[in-house]
Amino acid sequence: MGRTAKRQSIHPARSTATWPRDFIWGISSSSFQIEGATREDGRGLSIWDTFCAAGRVANHDTGDIACDHYHRYAEDVALMKRLGVKAYRFSVAWPRLLPEGRGSANEAGLAFYDRLIDALLKARIEPWLCLYHWDLPQALDDLGGWTVRDAAGWFADYAMLVASRYGDRVKRFATFNEPSVFTLFGYGFGDSAPGISGPIMLRRAIHNVNLAHGAAVDVIGALVPDALIGAIHNYQPCLPATPADVEAAELFGAYWNSAFPEPQCLGTYPSRLAGVMEPYVQAGDLARICRPVDWFGLNHYSPIYAKANPDAPLGFTFGGAPADLSHTPMGWPIHPESFHDALVEVSARYRLPIYVLENGFGGDDKPDASGDIADTARIDYLKCYIEAMHEAIANGADVRGYFIWSLLDNFEWGSGYGTRFGLVYVDYPTQKRIPKASFNWYADLIKSARAVDGERSTVGDAFKPR
Ligand code: FCB
């Protein structure tokens, strides 16, 4: 598939298209972005609380209230039920369970996820639990956070607590969400929490997160023998912004797409990074990192355009996308062909069942005079991306599920509440939830896709477990 021109060769999603048998339609969120209650019931602080308090987020926004999901989770589960999703991917806030990151557990925090998980199961929605979505306990960051090797042990102990508490009801576990994003932005570029920049800290963080992943896979596997364990990677083709940026794009791509899945699934660092990672790799580390996983979580929004910049901490930065490529209001290029290519490539390379655990559209939705939110641009985006996924499946990609980011508008990291990704609009001053047009559209798609699945599943027949 071509990657440069603005093409609409991929047709909008035919909801009546056939999908693999048992294909999972889901929805995703993360703790810090929706929970709020950051100082309630004994929760400790995370690096994002600190980053927000330092005024580093647009509009000086913080996660203090967010979507108040901590108190309104029952209403949110009811919305998911109405949507018809089979699964909900959420993350657990490490500082809510272990306010100091290690040591004594906080029973009130543990009880919150008990309530959430029980409500999901009652609504017949499968909980997909991710251990880490960027909210490292501040107390651990004070000890060096991901830049120190001890972090792997802290994470394994936290995984043990989570698996032993929830493993009777939760069977889908992810270790990390988007390790490339939180290490690159937090320790490389330095423009997200904890705000450190430069190649040395980045490489240390990469290796320690990889070690933590391997240790957690072992711990969860031992405590929950029927668990299905994976990690969630943001996989986006990295393309040169200009012909002079080919090197920069390769290096950016190695950090973004390969620094985690390759050691975790293949047991090696990508050749582009092997030399620079060598000082951190001790004997036996790659075997510790490469533990058997059951699935590959893939997040994708857009291709990346890279630019060489010798003055930047890593020697590269984001570059501009071709002018003829349309983009979302937050400037992310729209190119469903890249999604297709990502799915086909990842399936061929790692030979694991893929679950798309994030895909979505960030906009600046507002209710119209009658209070409705007609987010047609989001629907158009989702249609084209879902169709691209359908084509990828037809072309051999083993994709078993698709989760939209996100149920609710929420705290979008450095952009604060200025960017809205939800299928449900959140009126932050009142916390009123208003389903957008895309909510009804997704509900219809799930319903019709299930109906077809019930009759026959031509695509599914082409799938044999590898
Ligand atoms: C992903 C993050 C998620 C959300 C979306 C828009 O990179 O995992 O938390 O911010 O982008």
Side-chain angles (χ1 to χ4, degrees):
M1 288 224 163
R3 285 174 173 165
T4 47
K6 175 177 172 181
R7 288 200 290 128
Q8 295 301 332
S9 58
I10 289 178
H11 307 294
R14 293 157 292 162
S15 56
T16 50
T18 51
W19 294 93
R21 201 180 304 284
D22 298 327
F23 192 84
I24 297 177
W25 297 98
I27 195 101
S28 286
S29 77
S30 90
S31 47
F32 190 78
Q33 293 178 276
I34 62 169
E35 285 179 5
T38 53
R39 283 164 186 77
E40 222 171 301
D41 286 346
R43 177 187 177 278
L45 294 181
S46 77
I47 53 174
W48 273 96
D49 294 293
T50 310
F51 202 71
C52 293
R56 305 276 311 265
V57 166
N59 205 26
H60 287 249
D61 285 338
T62 73
D64 289 353
I65 300 174
C67 306
D68 196 28
H69 174 75
Y70 187 73
H71 300 112
R72 295 169 194 262
Y73 71 92
E75 181 184 350
D76 296 337
V77 171
L79 279 166
M80 288 181 231
K81 189 172 179 190
R82 193 169 135 197
L83 187 58
V85 286
K86 271 193 210 168
Y88 172 51
R89 189 214 79 179
F90 64 101
S91 74
V92 168
W94 187 348
R96 207 179 276 295
L97 300 200
L98 291 161
E100 294 297 316
R102 57 197 181 140
S104 330
N106 174 31
E107 178 53 36
L110 284 160
F112 167 67
Y113 297 104
D114 279 331
R115 293 195 292 278
L116 173 64
I117 290 164
D118 291 346
L120 289 165
L121 292 172
K122 192 158 172 231
R124 304 182 67 79
I125 297 168
E126 190 184 17
W128 285 47
L129 186 158
C130 177
L131 286 166
Y132 187 85
H133 198 122
W134 218 342
D135 41 2
L136 183 71
Q138 182 58 50
L140 296 184
D141 188 59
D142 294 343
L143 300 174
W146 292 118
T147 68
V148 298
R149 207 174 151 99
D150 284 348
W154 301 332
F155 189 70
D157 289 347
Y158 161 58
M160 192 177 295
L161 174 67
V162 172
S164 49
R165 177 76 173 217
Y166 308 118
D168 57 338
R169 288 155 290 161
V170 175
K171 302 299 169 191
R172 292 280 185 171
F173 288 91
T175 54
F176 286 94
N177 181 72
E178 297 188 0
S180 64
V181 171
F182 78 76
T183 54
L184 265 169
F185 286 87
Y187 301 89
F189 301 132
D191 51 10
S192 290
I196 295 167
S197 60
I200 306 292
M201 290 307 204
L202 171 63
R203 292 169 196 153
R204 286 167 60 165
I206 289 173
H207 192 59
N208 296 328
V209 169
N210 274 325
L211 286 168
H213 161 85
V217 170
D218 285 347
V219 162
I220 300 166
L223 288 168
V224 190
D226 53 347
L228 293 167
I229 311 170
I232 306 166
H233 303 286
N234 189 330
Y235 197 95
Q236 309 184 242
C238 278
L239 308 166
T242 72
D245 299 315
V246 172
E247 270 277 297
E250 278 175 20
L251 187 57
F252 201 156
Y255 279 113
W256 191 279
N257 292 321
S258 312
F260 296 92
E262 295 218 358
Q264 291 178 12
C265 304
L266 305 179
T268 57
Y269 275 104
S271 52
R272 203 78 182 55
L273 299 181
V276 297
M277 292 306 297
E278 208 183 277
Y280 313 101
V281 181
Q282 297 181 8
D285 275 3
L286 288 161
R288 289 185 189 100
I289 293 169
C290 184
R291 310 303 300 146
V293 289
D294 301 292
W295 49 271
F296 191 107
L298 187 147
N299 295 353
H300 180 99
Y301 292 87
S302 64
I304 289 175
Y305 287 87
K307 198 166 175 37
N309 179 351
D311 299 328
L314 304 175
F316 57 81
T317 54
F318 286 89
D324 62 348
L325 212 58
S326 46
H327 50 78
T328 68
M330 69 190 296
W332 291 3
I334 300 178
H335 197 246
E337 291 88 343
S338 292
F339 184 38
H340 167 280
D341 294 351
L343 293 169
V344 171
E345 275 168 33
V346 165
S347 195
R349 185 153 186 74
Y350 299 109
R351 306 191 72 75
L352 284 166
I354 297 174
Y355 293 91
V356 175
L357 290 178
E358 284 187 29
N359 176 236
F361 177 97
D364 45 14
D365 317 288
K366 288 181 197 63
D368 62 21
S370 49
D372 297 333
I373 297 113
D375 56 339
T376 46
R378 175 171 294 104
I379 296 174
D380 290 346
Y381 172 98
L382 293 171
K383 280 180 178 172
C384 290
Y385 274 71
I386 290 173
E387 181 60 20
M389 172 173 67
H390 193 264
E391 285 199 22
I393 293 171
N395 290 333
D398 184 0
V399 186
R400 309 270 181 100
Y402 173 86
F403 293 51
I404 290 179
W405 179 271
S406 188
L407 179 72
L408 306 170
D409 293 337
N410 60 54
F411 176 84
E412 179 45 35
W413 307 118
S415 326
Y417 298 99
T419 298
R420 293 175 178 271
F421 270 93
L423 300 188
V424 176
Y425 181 87
V426 176
D427 178 48
Y428 292 110
T430 62
Q431 288 294 337
K432 186 166 182 230
R433 275 89 163 120
I434 308 169
K436 304 177 190 177
S438 57
F439 179 96
N440 296 323
W441 172 82
Y442 191 41
D444 286 347
L445 180 128
I446 294 173
K447 232 180 273 155
S448 47
R450 272 199 191 153
V452 171
D453 182 57
E455 288 162 25
R456 68 201 171 94
S457 179
T458 52
V459 179
D461 292 337
F463 276 80
K464 300 275 173 290
R466 291 182 212 271

